[in-house]
Amino acid sequence: MALIVQKYGGTSVASPERIQAVAERVIRTRKAGDQVVVVLSAMSGETDRLLALAHRVSPKPDERELDLLLSTGERVTIALLAMALRERGYAARSFTGRQVGIVTDDVHTRARIERVAADRVRDALAEDVIPVVAGFQGINEKSDVTTLGRGGSDTTAVALAAALKADRCDIYTDVDGVYTTDPNIVPTASRLDKISYEEMLEMASLGAKVLQTRSVEFAMKYLVPVRVLSSFTDAPTGTLVTKEDRDMEQVVVSGVTYDRNQAKITLLGVPDRPGIAARLFGGIAKEDIIVDMIIQNISQEGLTDISFTVPRADAKKAVSLVSTLVREIGANDVQLTEDIAKVSIVGVGMRSHSGVAATMFETLAREGINIMMISTSEIKISCVVDAKYTELAVRALHEAFELGTPA
Ligand code: ASP
Ligand code: MG
């Protein structure tokens, strides 16, 4: 008998009918002899609706109150699923984040889980009751409700699986796994049977939205095998996110991702002396703006250029911060470029294969795409290009690394 945590996302619980279908699937798993713990998202669109509601009464809603409001979406679905299961003759019990003892830090609207007690979940399992747990929520030390950031139910599910030492965490969504790239851009994109935690972490943080990045970090840390599956089919396929193995190294590139939510800021004519970068990025960090890529050029006559990227939503704020600094340090100018995209290739095979970067650059060159910035890690190469070339770049790279299924 295995213990499986099943998490169902918003589209999987979007209506009473979909909730009935989830109940059926939970029961099928039970009948197959496994124990199930269910974690649910709110109905799709509900969290957005609640957010919009908050903004109707306050342009900048208090975050403690916002968390309490947002946490209601998941209360609705857990109660409904527990009712649906009981209707079918199965004992089930819904639990909020507080009842499960999901304790987080104090950062409202994007709290991080610090520990998971899960006593009531264990008790329910011992009584043969199916626990149905609200995703996305926890409580801080003061026992105020917190939420884990958008898509946070994934993290609840994986953290709970880790705490319970579950055999697997199955994430049910509306796509049947992780693809080599966005199938909306490349119709021949293929589903990966398995992918390593590290690759998934890169893909998730690069904008492939199947799993919340934090959930992958948890899975990697506690070695929880995670499966991404569709709740809209009965096919038992999907993508297994797991420890790296030999087969994975054979594949040079596993996926191509893109991110259109970045903007590039360039400082021109910056005096090249100690402490300038520290002041620049220290000031930006203080405002909680996340800097992604940074490039500094070699200096000429004591002046250099520095370019970096930030989330597009924070670009204006970053520019105004930087503008003040420009005056203080006597740099020449600040430029903002919003129409950029970051296109990346990811694969653990890059560690043992050479020439991957060259292939990427040649491929982009052949399409006449100019590269504005480059950054690399051991298993990833990212290029910033003009946003209008996003699709072209993704398609060309997907083909160059032979990721498609034959049409
Ligand atoms: N309902 C929350 C959201 O929309 C959490 C989740 O679905 O994972 O972000
Ligand atoms: Mg999600």
Coordinates of all heavy atoms in Angstrom, one line a residue, residues 92 130 181 199 229:
A92 N -14.5 11.2 4.7 CA -13.5 12.2 4.2 C -13.7 13.4 5.2 O -14.7 13.6 5.8 CB -13.8 12.7 2.8
I130 N -10.4 10.0 4.5 CA -9.6 10.7 3.5 C -9.4 12.1 3.8 O -10.4 12.9 3.9 CB -10.3 10.6 2.1 CG1 -10.5 9.1 1.7 CG2 -9.5 11.3 1.0 CD1 -11.4 8.9 0.4
T181 N 8.7 22.3 -24.9 CA 8.5 23.8 -24.9 C 7.0 24.0 -24.9 O 6.2 23.1 -24.8 CB 9.2 24.5 -26.1 OG1 9.2 25.9 -25.8 CG2 8.5 24.2 -27.4
E199 N 16.5 20.4 -13.5 CA 16.0 20.9 -14.8 C 14.6 21.5 -14.6 O 14.3 22.6 -15.1 CB 15.9 19.8 -15.8 CG 17.2 19.3 -16.4 CD 17.1 18.0 -17.2 OE1 16.4 17.1 -16.7 OE2 17.7 17.9 -18.3
L229 N 0.3 15.4 -14.1 CA -0.7 14.6 -14.8 C -1.9 15.5 -15.2 O -2.2 16.4 -14.5 CB -1.2 13.4 -14.0 CG -0.3 12.4 -13.4 CD1 -0.9 12.0 -12.1 CD2 -0.2 11.2 -14.3

